[in-house]
Amino acid sequence: MTKKKFLIELAIVVLGVSIAFSLDSIKDSYKLNKQKRIAIQNITQELNKNNESLRQLISKQDSMLSNFNDTADIVNSTFTFHTLSIRTGVYRSIESTGLLGELNSEELIDILNVYEGYSTILELEKYLMQEVYTLSKSDSPEKNLKNAFFWVEQLNNNEKVLLEGCERLITKLEN
């Protein structure tokens, strides 16, 4: 075998290996992009379901607050505490696979902010339930009920802000 023929065969082998690596890289990139699209679709579905729960909760709280504001006799007002039921399974799954880190930074920040908002609402609910329980054991039910309704109103306002932010994120993710 001549030196020239050897170099030609070597160049062909190197070219073939380079093409194989390039194709493999393209395939991996395509696979990752497909996984990201599916993750965003699944997150969007989960956010939509959470938004529905949030809308229902806000509606119940608005009704309760409206009845409270219309009632002159605070002591006989009904205080029914409703809690938020959210889903985080898709988010946790995407987070555990590391796919969350593959999203662009703006999407990632927005998604993290929404799920952090859910956690904050849940913490506020826990705090409010403890406060309502404490208030129910005290000597001044009228004042305490006013305080409880005040905190429900604050929680309700935070939930509305979260809902608006989540709806903007869904619109962004769907485009």
Side-chain angles (χ1 to χ4, degrees), residues 38-124:
I38 291 170
I40 288 173
Q41 288 172 346
N42 291 341
I43 282 277
T44 303
Q45 288 173 353
E46 186 169 84
L47 291 172
N48 277 318
K49 289 175 184 174
N50 288 342
N51 272 5
E52 186 54 38
S53 295
L54 199 50
R55 277 188 209 92
Q56 289 172 2
L57 177 63
I58 290 169
S59 176
K60 289 174 185 176
Q61 289 172 346
D62 283 344
S63 176
M64 182 181 70
L65 290 167
S66 175
N67 290 339
F68 169 72
N69 291 331
D70 295 340
T71 304
D73 184 10
I74 292 174
V75 176
N76 293 323
S77 295
T78 304
F79 187 91
T80 306
F81 191 77
H82 302 280
T83 59
L84 179 61
S85 172
I86 61 164
R87 295 169 172 88
T88 60
V90 171
Y91 173 79
R92 298 283 175 229
S93 173
I94 292 170
E95 182 182 45
S96 71
T97 62
L99 195 55
L100 196 58
E102 295 295 329
L103 301 177
N104 77 47
S105 60
E106 188 177 323
E107 289 172 339
L108 178 60
I109 290 169
D110 291 343
I111 290 169
L112 292 174
N113 285 339
V114 166
Y115 280 92
E116 188 176 296
Y118 290 147
S119 295
T120 301
I121 294 295
L122 294 174
E123 289 299 314
L124 287 171

